[in-house]
Amino acid sequence: MKNLLISFGLLAVLSTTANASFLIEPHLGYNISGGVASYSNTKYDYTGAQYGARLGFQTLGLMGGFDYTHSGYDLKSTVLTSGVVATVPVTQNEYGVFVGYNAPILLRAWLAYYFSTKMTYTNPTTTYYSGNTTEIGVGFTPLPLISVNVSYRMINFDKGHTAAAGDYTIGYTPKEIVLGVSLPFTLL
């Protein structure tokens, strides 16, 4: 939390001293590869759409602020010993912060840390996992208001909850590759 406050303090100083612009960036993506090769003798994989928005500041190519991302997909689990397959619909909500740089050569890059990631599904009772996500992304901006993006996301679910078991500790760490587009608007 201390590092988060220091980061936003630096962002506030930069924004007041160097003609900062307010950044609004809705984003839409498709998770082309998500899952875990093996967790508790089960393989998990999924693909699906995600959308969200970034709000923050941009100055001298540097950008930073807050990000919200929502995902929806079908989680497919395959038991490795028996081959039994089950699929459940899943929703995921993430809240975090990001920092990045818009290069003058039509490229941009960012690093995001989602301090709150929550995945929820019902099978047969409601279950949720919570944790955090780290994202590394790059974008190509062929037009001024369009960015074509690819990001690599590393999720760390460390807590789970079911009605029957209550809260419990887990170590479920899926990885994702997301292709998408965003519309980075800057307002003076």
Side-chain angles (χ1 to χ4, degrees):
M1 187 61 154
K2 183 179 176 182
N3 290 338
L4 178 64
L5 293 174
I6 292 170
S7 297
F8 281 109
L10 288 172
L11 183 61
V13 169
L14 284 174
S15 68
T16 59
T17 60
N19 276 342
S21 298
F22 187 65
L23 174 68
I24 301 172
E25 184 176 358
H27 54 83
L28 176 66
Y30 193 81
N31 183 339
I32 62 170
S33 172
V36 174
S38 178
Y39 174 73
S40 297
N41 195 34
T42 304
K43 175 185 174 188
Y44 294 92
D45 59 283
Y46 54 90
T47 59
Q50 65 175 222
Y51 62 86
R54 295 183 188 98
L55 297 174
F57 290 93
Q58 181 172 304
T59 182
L60 302 174
L62 297 173
M63 61 182 178
F66 296 99
D67 190 326
Y68 167 74
T69 299
H70 174 84
S71 304
Y73 49 85
D74 289 330
L75 178 65
K76 178 181 163 187
S77 59
T78 307
V79 178
L80 298 176
T81 54
S82 66
V84 174
V85 176
T87 303
V88 295
V90 172
T91 60
Q92 186 168 295
N93 290 298
E94 300 174 281
Y95 301 92
V97 294
F98 73 96
V99 294
Y101 183 72
N102 283 319
I105 55 169
L106 306 177
L107 291 176
R108 57 202 315 252
W110 66 90
L111 175 65
Y113 178 74
Y114 299 90
F115 47 83
S116 175
T117 300
K118 185 175 180 182
M119 178 178 74
T120 306
Y121 66 92
T122 302
N123 183 28
T125 62
T126 300
T127 299
Y128 70 80
Y129 296 149
S130 61
N132 56 66
T133 302
T134 303
E135 174 181 280
I136 299 168
V138 294
F140 172 66
T141 54
L143 299 171
L145 293 177
I146 296 177
S147 179
V148 179
N149 307 318
V150 62
S151 60
Y152 179 70
R153 300 166 41 86
M154 300 157 283
I155 302 171
N156 177 32
F157 290 115
D158 54 6
K159 294 179 185 164
H161 178 86
T162 63
D167 292 333
Y168 55 92
T169 302
I170 62 170
Y172 180 55
T173 57
K175 311 290 188 266
E176 300 176 348
I177 297 173
V178 177
L179 297 178
V181 295
S182 61
L183 304 172
F185 297 105
T186 53
L187 306 171
L188 295 176

